[in-house]
C-alpha cells in the first residue's frame, strides 16, 4: 500500500528500527571501533595485512568486545545475539579482521565452548577469549569441503597409551583453507574419524596443540600456507598435516561422544549422522554471522555508490547548465534501488534470524533446557537459506556498485575493490551456496525430518517414498498480520488486485513456494517409478527444480520478515518509506521471475507489463529518498575509507565555478574573444 | 537441427575453425610467448608487478611481435586483424601485460599512426614500436570519462610564440587512470580543447613529452599515481596535471584539424562533433581488442573450471564406490555449459568483427580509399556492442567459474582470482558498457545517421522527429543462408515449429530486436507529444527500453555470426558438435528472456516449459564433450598456471587407492577388526 511519500524522512527514526534488538551493541561499535589498525591499508602486502590483523585482533580482545557469546562465568555475556551483531559491525570495518575474529572466537572458541567439557573450559576458555591462545577450526580438507562427513583424517585410540593417533593418510586429507593456521594458531580444533576398538564412530573433534610457545610446529605437525588469496589477505589461511600425532584422551571434545579408558565408545545420540550434525548445529552462529557480515559489506558498497551517484555528473541535458547527476538516470536507479530494497529486506530477515537463534541457543546452552528438535532444524535451515541469500546478494550488488562508480570504483583507495574481493568467498565458505540450497530443499521435502546438514537418504528411492504428503507453508513472522492480509484476497478477481496490495504480494510468494515444492515432490515420485532410471538420475534430473523450491522458500521468509519489520515501525514517516521499499522488494523480486509467474498462470502478459511499469514508478518515488536510505545504515564516516566521498563533491563545485567564469568571460586565462566562443563545446 | 552427436569429436578440427583467419598469429603466440616474465607471479606486490610487466613489454618488443598493426615502411605488417589477434593471445598469458601492450602499441602508437602526420611518424614511430619511447594515451579525466567531448583540459595557441599552452584548470580536469603514466611513460598523446584566436575548436590531440631521459617530469608536468587497483596491478596507471606547459605547434596530431602559424584553424570536417568522433573512430581497434581479450580470459577460466569439475568429486551416489564427479551434477552443468556456448557464440562474432575491421581499415589506411561512412559506423557500432557483450560475459562467467571451483578458486595459485580482478574494469574502460549500449541504440534509432560515439541530438525533441520511419534489420553474416532458414517458416503453425530448428531461433531473435526497436521509437514519439514532459524525461523514461533494444540487436548479430561459423565448418563431426552448441546458445538466450517472449506472444506457457526441458536435454547431450569444447581453445598448459590442474587428479587417485585398501582390509595402519568396520562412514 503506497500513498505518496513525505518530501523527506528523518533517517534517525529509520536507523532506529534497523538497529533493532541489539542497538546498544551497534552504537558501542560505532563509537569505539576506531583503532587505526582496524581499517584496511590500501596496497598492503599479504604479510603486512596479516600482521595488522593480528595486532587488531589483540586490540579487540583487550577491549573486551569479543566475549559476548561466552559464558558469564568466564567473563563473557551469554549473549549469542550480541555476539553475532558485534561481528556484523566488525564487517563494516575490515572483513579480514571480521573473519579472523570469527575464527578465533566464533569457530575455535565456539567449538571449545559448545563441544567441550567444563574441565576443558576451565583450562582454555579465558586464554582463547584474551587471544593468548590463538586457535583454528580444522574441519575442511583439500578433498572434502561440502561433504565433511567424508573427511579422511583419522584419529585412532590406543587403550595401552590412553592416547589417540591423529593421522593424515594422503594429500586429499590435508586440512586446508584453515584460518589462523599459517601464522598465528597455537592450537586447533581438529575434526577426524574417531576409530576405537576397530570401529569407526564417525567424525569428532579434538583439541590439538599445533605450535609450541616459540611458534614452532609441534612434533608430527606440518604447517603449510595456502598463500595469497583473491581477498581476505589479512587472514593467514594454512594447511595442517598430521603424521601420527599423539593426542591424549582428555583432549577429545566429548560433549556428544565419549571414549572410556578402555576404548569403549558411548553417546546419547545413537545415530552417527544425527550425532555429527547435532554437533555442527550448535555452531550455527558462524553461518549466521557470515550472512550478516555479507550484508554489512553490501550496505557499505551501496552507501559509497549512492552518495557518489548523487554528486557525480556526466552528459548534459539539452539547454541545461550542468551535466546530469548520474543518480537521475533511470537505468542507474534501476541498478541501485532494487538492490537497496533487497538489502533492507535481508536486514529484517537477518534481525529475525539472530533473534530466534539467540532465544533458541540461550534456552539450551544457558538455561539448560531440552533441545526443541523441530525449532533447531528450522533455525538451521533458515540460517543456511539466509546465508545463501545474503552472500549472493553481496557478490551481485558489490559488483554492480563497482561498475556504478566507473573507474573510481576500481581504485583501492575507494574501498570497493576490497569489499568485492573479500566477500567473494562468502558464497563458498561456511557452506557452498548450491549445497546449502539443496539442504534447505531437503528439509522442506521431508518436513525437517532429518538433522539439518545431512544428505541422509538423498538419492535413495526410500527417500522419495518418505517425503511429506501435505505441503503446508509455515509462516515465520507477523503471522496474524500476514494471515489477515492474505485472507483478504479470495473471492476477488485476481487480475484486478492492485500490485501494491501487500496481501497480493505475499500470496504470489506463497504460491510460488508451494507450487515449486509440490512440483518437486511430484517429479521425484514420477522419476522413482520410471523404468530404467538410476537413483542418481532420479534426483539429478530435478536438481534445478529442487533448488528453485529452496530459493522460493527463502524469498518468502525474507518478505515475511520485512512485513513484520514495517509493522513494528512506529514513526509514521519512516513506516511509509519502509512500506514503499517493501513494495519495491516484493515487486522487483516477482519481476525478476516474471516468466515463472506467467508460466504458472499468475500473471497475464498485460499484468506483466504493468508490473514493470509499477516497479519504475516505485523507483521514481524512492529516488528522492535514496540518501536517507543509506544514511539509515548508520555507517560512521571514519569506517568508509573511500576517497571519492571526500573529494568528488568539491571537484564538481570547482568545475562548475570555472565553467560559470568562462561563460561570463571572466577569470584568468581568458583569451581574446567573446565569452560564448570560450564555452566548452556546448552540450548537444 | 540436432541429431545425436558422435561419441567423441577430435578437438583439432574444432580448434582449426576457432583459430580462424589469423590462425598463424595464434600458433606463433602459443609456441613463442614463453618468457617467465610473461606470467603473473602470485602474491607479487604492485611494484614487482609493474617492474615485471615493463620487462615483459620490452621482451615482447624485441621479439618483433608488436608491430602487426603498424605500416610496413616502419617495420610493421599493415595487419590490423593480426594486431588484434596477437593482443587476444597475450590476454591468455597476463592481462596486465596485454593492457600495457595495448596502451603502448594500440592507443599511444595507434594515435600517433592514425592521427599524426608522416613527419611525426618519421620522428617517433620506430621508437614507439621498439619501446624505446614508452608513451600513454591521456584522454580520460577525473571529471569526464564517458563524455569525453566535455574534457576540461585546454590547449591554447599563441601565434607570437607559435606554441600552445596546455593547461589543467582544476582537479576534475586532471588526466586520470592513464596507463603507462605512473612509472614508465616518457611521452603522452594528450587530448584537450583546442583554442585558437579566441575560439574553441573542440577536442584534439598533441604529442607531449612528460618525462625527460632521466625519468624526471618535464617542466609544468605533475605526475601522480592512481595507486593500487582491484587488479591489473602490473599496469602503472597515473595522473597527469599540466601547469601552462608549452607545446610546439608541430606537436599537434593534425590529420583531421590543422592550425597555421598565424593561428588559423582548418579542417576537412566542418562539424566539430563529427570531426572528433571521426578521430576516435580510427582507434576502434582498441575497443575490438578489449572485447576479444575479455573473451580470452573467459575461455581460460572455463578451461580451468571444466577440467577441475571433471576430476573433483563430492558426495557419493547410494551404492556407488566413489563420489560423484561434480561435472555430473545437472546444476553444475547448467552453470558451465550455457556459459561455454555463449563463449563460442561470442568467439565467432569477434572473429567476424575483427575480419570486417581489418578489411575496412586496410582499405582506408593502407590503400588510401575513401571512408565508407555507413560501413565505418556499423563497424564502430558492432565493436561497441561486442565489447559490451564480451566484457559482461567475462565478469559473470569468471565469477561463476570461481564459485564452481569452491575454495580452490579463491587461491591465487589457481589463477581465477587474477582473471576475475583483472577483467573487472573491462566493463568500464574503452567505454562504459551502459553508455555504449545507449550509443548502439542511438545508431539503430537513427539508421546510423550520426557519427558513432556522439550523443548529438539525444535528449532533444528534434531527435525524435528525425528517427527512422522504417525498421529494417540488416543481416550481417551468412545472409543468404539465414534468409533461407527464416523464410522456411511462414505459413507454419508457430507453436509447432521445433525449437531446435535454426530458422525459428533466428526469427525469435529478429522479432525481439525489431519489436524492441519499434517500441522504443513509438514510446519516444509518444513522450514527445506528452504535455508537460521535459525533454530529459522524454528520453529517461524509456532508457531501459532503449538499452533493451541495443542488447537484442547485439544478441542477434552474435547468433548470425555463430550460424555463419557453423556453416563454414567442413569437418562433419565438428560441425555437428558446433551445431548443438549453437542450439544451446540460442535456446539458453531465449530462456533467459522467457518473460519477454511470453509477454509478446512468442511463447505460450507450454512452449516456455518445453524450452527449459529442451535446454536441459541439450546440456545432457553436450556434457560428454565438455572437455573437447575447452580443448579446442588451444590454451597451452604453460599459460594456465592453476595448481589444481596439476594436482587434483593425482590426489583423487591416491584417495581412491587408500579407500580401496581400507575396504579390502589391507595397508598400513589397519587396526584390528573387520574390513567393513573400517570403512569411512558409508555414503548415505
Amino acid at each position: 500500500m503506497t500513498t505518496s511519500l513525505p518530501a523527506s524522512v528523518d533517517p534517525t527514526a529509520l536507523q532506529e528500527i534497523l538497529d533493532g534488538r541489539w542497538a546498544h551493541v551497534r552504537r558501542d561499535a560505532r563509537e569505539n571501533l576506531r583503532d587505526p589498525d582496524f581499517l584496511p591499508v590500501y596496497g598492503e602486502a599479504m604479510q603486512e595485512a596479516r600482521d595488522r590483523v593480528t595486532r587488531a585482533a589483540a586490540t579487540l580482545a583487550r577491549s573486551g568486545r569479543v566475549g559476548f557469546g561466552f559464558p558469564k562465568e568466564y567473563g563473557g555475556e551469554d549473549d549469542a545475539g550480541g555476539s553475532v551483531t558485534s561481528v556484523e559491525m566488525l564487517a563494516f570495518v575490515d572483513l579480514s579482521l571480521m573473519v579472523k575474529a570469527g575464527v578465533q572466537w566464533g569457530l575455535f572458541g565456539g567449538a571449545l565452548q559448545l563441544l567441550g567439557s567444563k574441565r576443558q573450559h576451565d583450562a582454555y576458555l579465558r586464554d582463547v577469549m584474551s587471544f593468548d591462545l590463538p586457535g583454528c577450526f580444522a574441519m575442511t580438507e583439500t578433498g572434502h569441503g561440502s561433504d565433511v562427513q567424508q573427511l579422511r583424517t583419522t584419529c585412532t585410540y590406543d587403550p595401552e597409551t590412553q592416547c589417540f593417533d591423529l593421522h593424515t593418510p594422503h594429500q586429499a586429507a590435508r586440512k586446508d583453507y584453515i584460518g589462523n593456521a599459517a601464522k598465528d594458531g597455537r592450537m586447533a580444533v581438529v575434526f577426524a574419524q574417531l576409530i576405537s576398538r576397530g570401529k569407526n564412530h564417525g567424525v569428532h573433534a579434538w583439541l590439538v596443540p599445533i605450535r609450541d610457545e616459540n611458534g614452532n610446529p609441534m612434533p608430527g605437525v606440518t604447517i603449510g600456507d595456502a598463500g595469497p588469496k583473491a581477498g581476505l589477505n589479512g587472514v593467514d589461511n594454512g594447511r595442517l598435516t598430521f603424521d601420527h600425532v599423539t593426542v591424549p584422551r582428555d583432549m577429545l571434545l566429548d560433549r556428544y561422544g565419549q571414549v572410556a579408558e578402555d576404548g569403549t565408545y558411548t553417546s546419547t545420540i545413537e545415530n552417527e549422522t544425527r550425532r555429527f550434525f547435532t554437533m555442527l548445529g550448535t555452531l550455527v552462529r558462524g553461518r549466521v554471522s557470515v550472512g550478516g557480515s555479507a550484508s554489512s559489506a553490501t550496505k557499505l558498497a551501496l552507501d559509497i555508490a549512492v552518495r557518489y551517484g548523487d554528486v557525480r555528473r556526466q552528459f548534459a541535458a539539452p539547454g541545461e547548465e550542468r551535466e546530469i547527476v548520474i543518480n537521475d538516470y533511470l537505468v542507474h536507479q534501476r541498478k541501485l534501488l532494487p538492490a537497496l530494497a533487497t538489502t533492507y529486506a535481508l536486514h529484517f530477515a537477518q534481525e529475525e534470524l539472530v533473534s530466534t537463534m539467540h532465544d533458541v541457543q540461550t534456552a539450551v546452552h544457558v538455561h539448560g533446557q531440552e533441545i526443541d528438535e523441530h525449532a533447531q532444524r528450522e533455525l538451521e535451515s533458515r540460517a543456511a537459506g539466509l546465508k545463501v541469500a545474503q552472500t549472493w546478494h553481496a557478490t551481485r550488488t558489490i559488483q554492480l556498485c563497482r561498475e556504478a562508480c566507473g573507474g573510481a570504483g576500481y581504485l583501492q583507495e575507494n574501498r570497493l575493490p576490497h569489499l568485492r574481493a573479500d566477500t567473494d568467498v562468502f558464497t563458498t565458505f561456511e557452506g557452498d551456496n548450491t549445497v546449502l540450497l539443496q539442504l534447505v530443499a531437503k528439509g522442506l521435502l521431508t518436513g525437517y525430518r532429518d538433522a539439518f546438514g545431512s544428505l541422509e537418504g538423498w538419492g535413495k528411492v526410500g527417500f522419495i517414498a518418505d517425503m511429506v504428503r501435505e505441503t503446508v507453508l509455515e509462516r515465520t513472522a507477523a503471522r496474524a498480520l500476514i494471515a489477515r492480509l492474505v485472507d483478504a484476497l479470495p473471492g476477488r478477481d485476481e487480475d484486478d488486485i492492485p500490485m501494491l496490495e501487500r496481501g497480493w504480494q505475499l500470496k504470489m510468494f506463497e504460491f510460488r513456494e508451494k507450487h515449486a515444492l509440490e512440483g518437486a515432490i511430484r517429479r521425484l515420485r514420477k522419476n522413482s517409478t520410471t523404468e530404467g532410471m538410476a537413483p542418481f538420475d532420479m534426483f539429478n534430473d530435478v536438481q534445478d527444480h529442487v533448488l528453485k523450491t529452496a530459493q522460493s522458500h527463502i524469498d518468502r521468509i525474507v518478505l515475511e520478515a520485512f512485513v513484520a519489520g514495517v509493522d513494528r515501525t512506529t514513526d509514521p514517516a519512516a513506516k511509509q518509506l519502509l512500506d514503499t521499499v517493501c513494495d519495491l522488494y516484493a515487486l522487483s523480486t516477482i519481476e525478476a521471475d516474471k516468466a515463472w509467474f506467467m508460466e504458472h498462470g499468475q500473471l497475464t502478459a498485460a499484468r506483466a507489463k504493468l508490473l514493470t511499469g509499477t516497479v519504475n514508478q516505485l523507483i521514481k518515488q524512492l529516488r528522492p529518498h535514496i540518501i536517507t536510505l543509506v544514511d539509515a545504515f548508520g555507517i560512521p564516516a571514519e569506517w568508509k575509507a573511500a576517497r571519492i566521498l571526500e573529494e568528488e563533491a568539491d571537484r564538481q563545485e570547482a568545475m562548475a565555478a570555472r565553467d560559470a567564469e568562462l561563460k561570463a568571460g571572466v577569470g584568468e586565462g581568458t583569451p581574446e574573444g567573446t565569452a560564448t566562443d570560450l564555452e566548452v563545446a556546448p552540450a548537444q
Side-chain angles (χ1 to χ4, degrees), chain A:
Chain A
M1 202 78 55
T2 312
T3 49
S4 67
L5 290 170
S8 83
V9 177
D10 176 8
T12 318
L14 211 54
Q15 184 179 320
E16 214 178 281
I17 186 76
L18 289 185
D19 277 358
R21 185 170 164 184
W22 281 275
H24 57 290
V25 174
R26 299 191 194 277
R27 278 195 301 267
D28 172 74
R30 286 177 187 128
E31 280 152 38
N32 294 300
L33 289 183
R34 296 294 176 96
D35 191 289
D37 271 339
F38 287 173
L39 285 173
V41 174
Y42 298 126
E44 64 187 349
M46 183 175 80
Q47 201 46 54
E48 291 162 2
R50 288 176 169 188
D51 290 343
R52 177 181 61 78
V53 168
T54 299
R55 284 195 309 271
T59 301
L60 207 56
R62 280 193 302 276
S63 78
R65 284 185 180 76
V66 303
F68 283 101
F70 292 109
K72 280 181 174 149
E73 58 189 293
Y74 295 96
E77 309 265 342
D78 274 324
D79 185 356
S83 174
V84 170
T85 305
S86 71
V87 173
E88 288 178 18
M89 296 310 285
L90 208 49
F92 283 111
V93 183
D94 179 16
L95 289 154
S96 284
L97 177 55
M98 169 253 148
V99 170
K100 186 88 166 178
V103 165
Q104 176 69 13
W105 296 296
L107 294 178
F108 176 59
L112 170 60
Q113 179 190 357
L114 299 170
L115 305 181
S117 63
K118 185 176 190 322
R119 183 182 43 78
Q120 289 158 334
H121 296 171
D122 288 343
Y124 301 115
L125 208 47
R126 286 184 194 277
D127 285 345
V128 172
M129 289 167 70
S130 69
F131 206 39
D132 285 316
L133 180 59
C136 25
F137 185 85
M139 184 158 76
T140 299
E141 296 180 356
T142 300
H144 290 94
S146 292
D147 191 3
V148 286
Q149 261 199 300
Q150 292 296 318
L151 304 178
R152 293 298 197 260
T153 306
T154 53
C155 207
T156 311
Y157 187 67
D158 181 358
E160 312 239 333
T161 58
Q162 304 237 342
C163 285
F164 287 90
D165 174 333
L166 175 66
H167 189 64
T168 305
H170 45 61
Q171 204 189 58
R174 179 181 67 179
K175 294 301 180 189
D176 209 346
Y177 315 106
I178 310 300
N180 223 8
K183 184 167 78 73
D184 291 340
R186 292 234 330 269
M187 185 173 277
V189 168
V190 181
F191 288 78
Q193 303 286 348
L194 192 161
I195 297 166
S196 184
R197 295 168 65 112
K199 192 161 155 51
N200 185 333
H201 295 277
V203 177
H204 291 69
W206 289 258
L207 285 170
V208 182
I210 55 170
R211 281 188 178 86
D212 61 28
E213 315 81 37
N214 301 314
N216 299 314
M218 296 295 282
V221 179
T222 306
I223 305 180
D225 201 321
K229 307 182 294 293
L232 294 179
N233 280 307
V235 183
D236 52 327
N237 292 87
R239 294 163 168 157
L240 302 173
T241 307
F242 305 99
D243 184 12
H244 296 294
V245 171
T246 300
V247 180
R249 187 174 72 90
D250 68 2
M251 293 299 253
L252 171 66
L253 293 171
D254 64 357
R255 175 163 312 189
Y256 292 96
Q258 305 81 31
V259 172
E261 281 183 19
D262 68 353
T264 307
Y265 179 85
T266 53
S267 170
T268 49
I269 305 175
E270 204 182 299
N271 179 282
E272 219 173 88
T273 297
R274 221 180 120 240
R275 183 193 313 136
F276 174 63
F277 287 107
T278 299
M279 290 196 323
L280 284 201
T282 61
L283 302 173
V284 70
R285 193 181 311 174
R287 192 163 279 163
V288 175
S289 299
V290 161
S293 296
S295 285
S296 296
T298 303
K299 289 167 183 168
L300 179 51
L302 281 167
D303 182 289
I304 293 168
V306 162
R307 290 183 201 283
Y308 183 64
D310 235 42
V311 296
R312 178 72 178 174
R313 296 170 182 265
Q314 201 80 182
F315 296 108
E320 291 297 315
E321 286 277 325
R322 299 188 71 181
E323 294 170 85
I324 297 155
V325 158
I326 61 178
N327 274 357
D328 284 339
Y329 287 108
L330 172 65
V331 165
H332 205 77
Q333 295 162 3
R334 251 194 172 282
K335 288 175 189 171
L336 297 177
L337 277 161
L340 205 36
T342 300
T343 302
Y344 266 75
L346 291 171
H347 174 92
F348 285 108
Q350 174 72 4
E351 167 88 4
E352 185 82 38
L353 170 65
V354 172
S355 203
T356 303
M357 178 210 77
H358 175 88
D359 294 338
V360 167
Q361 294 213 314
T362 302
V364 173
H365 299 292
V366 179
H367 304 314
Q369 293 174 22
E370 282 289 309
I371 286 184
D372 176 339
E373 284 287 350
H374 190 85
Q376 176 68 22
R377 285 166 191 180
E378 269 201 321
L379 168 64
E380 289 181 52
S381 173
R382 205 181 318 169
L386 288 180
K387 183 271 186 190
V388 171
Q390 292 180 95
T391 55
W392 267 336
H393 179 64
T395 290
R396 265 192 313 262
T397 303
I398 298 172
Q399 177 61 31
L400 178 162
C401 290
R402 197 301 289 152
E403 292 184 21
C405 292
Y410 199 62
L411 303 181
Q412 286 195 26
E413 71 181 21
N414 292 319
R415 194 61 189 275
L416 291 161
H418 264 256
L419 294 175
R420 182 71 191 81
D422 287 347
T423 52
D424 184 7
V425 75
F426 281 49
T427 52
T428 292
F429 71 18
E430 270 295 344
D432 173 271
N433 279 7
T434 302
V435 174
L436 289 180
L437 280 182
Q438 189 149 303
L439 290 170
V440 168
K442 180 174 175 282
L444 298 170
L445 290 165
T446 63
Y448 302 112
R449 175 187 70 212
D450 307 313
F452 188 83
S454 157
L455 276 179
E456 186 169 326
W458 191 261
K460 280 183 165 158
V461 179
F463 177 94
I464 298 175
D466 290 344
M467 292 186 303
V468 292
R469 309 229 154 252
E470 256 190 62
T471 54
V472 177
L473 265 49
E474 284 185 46
R475 292 185 177 128
T476 59
R479 288 174 180 77
L481 169 63
I482 288 168
R484 218 168 42 245
L485 293 167
V486 173
D487 289 347
L489 300 176
R492 297 158 63 187
D493 183 347
E494 295 228 352
D495 290 345
D496 281 343
I497 301 173
M499 293 182 173
L500 296 174
E501 191 167 316
R502 186 75 69 232
W504 179 82
Q505 298 163 4
L506 285 159
K507 176 140 186 288
M508 295 286 270
F509 277 53
E510 290 187 357
F511 175 90
R512 183 175 58 165
E513 180 185 346
K514 195 173 204 298
H515 193 98
L517 180 55
E518 287 169 352
I521 289 171
R522 189 170 52 246
R523 287 187 58 187
L524 280 167
R525 288 222 167 94
K526 176 163 176 274
N527 285 354
S528 74
T529 59
T530 300
E531 280 276 341
M533 209 174 192
F536 171 72
D537 293 319
M538 289 179 197
F539 287 75
N540 199 37
D541 179 60
V542 298
Q543 198 189 17
D544 53 349
H545 202 126
V546 161
L547 299 195
K548 175 83 178 173
T549 300
Q551 274 160 326
S552 306
H553 168 77
I554 294 163
D555 284 350
R556 192 226 348 144
I557 63 179
V558 168
L559 178 58
E560 289 184 351
F562 201 169
V563 170
V566 176
D567 192 52
R568 275 199 305 278
T569 306
T570 49
D571 181 85
K575 185 168 187 153
Q576 252 188 293
L577 181 57
L578 281 178
D579 201 62
T580 307
V581 176
C582 189
D583 279 331
L584 181 57
Y585 167 67
L587 295 188
S588 61
T589 302
I590 294 169
E591 187 193 32
D593 206 16
K594 253 199 299 196
W596 190 95
F597 287 99
M598 289 171 74
E599 264 175 64
H600 293 86
Q602 297 302 297
L603 280 176
T604 59
R607 286 272 278 184
K609 286 180 176 152
L610 175 64
L611 177 59
T612 295
T614 309
V615 168
N616 282 354
Q617 254 184 308
L618 286 166
I619 281 170
K620 228 177 255 179
Q621 268 189 293
L622 286 169
R623 187 274 176 266
H625 301 277
I626 204 174
I627 296 291
T628 300
L629 289 173
V630 294
D631 275 343
F633 293 147
I635 305 168
E638 293 80 359
W639 287 359
K640 299 185 190 182
R643 276 186 81 170
I644 38 176
L645 295 185
E646 294 149 40
E647 296 184 354
E648 185 68 19
D650 290 344
R651 265 198 292 264
Q652 293 282 339
E653 288 311 308
M655 178 160 58
R658 176 64 179 152
D659 289 348
E661 282 179 354
L662 285 172
K663 204 174 162 74
V666 302
E668 71 166 59
T670 310
E672 271 189 317
T674 68
T676 50
D677 288 336
L678 303 171
E679 265 183 71
V680 174
Q684 306 283 340

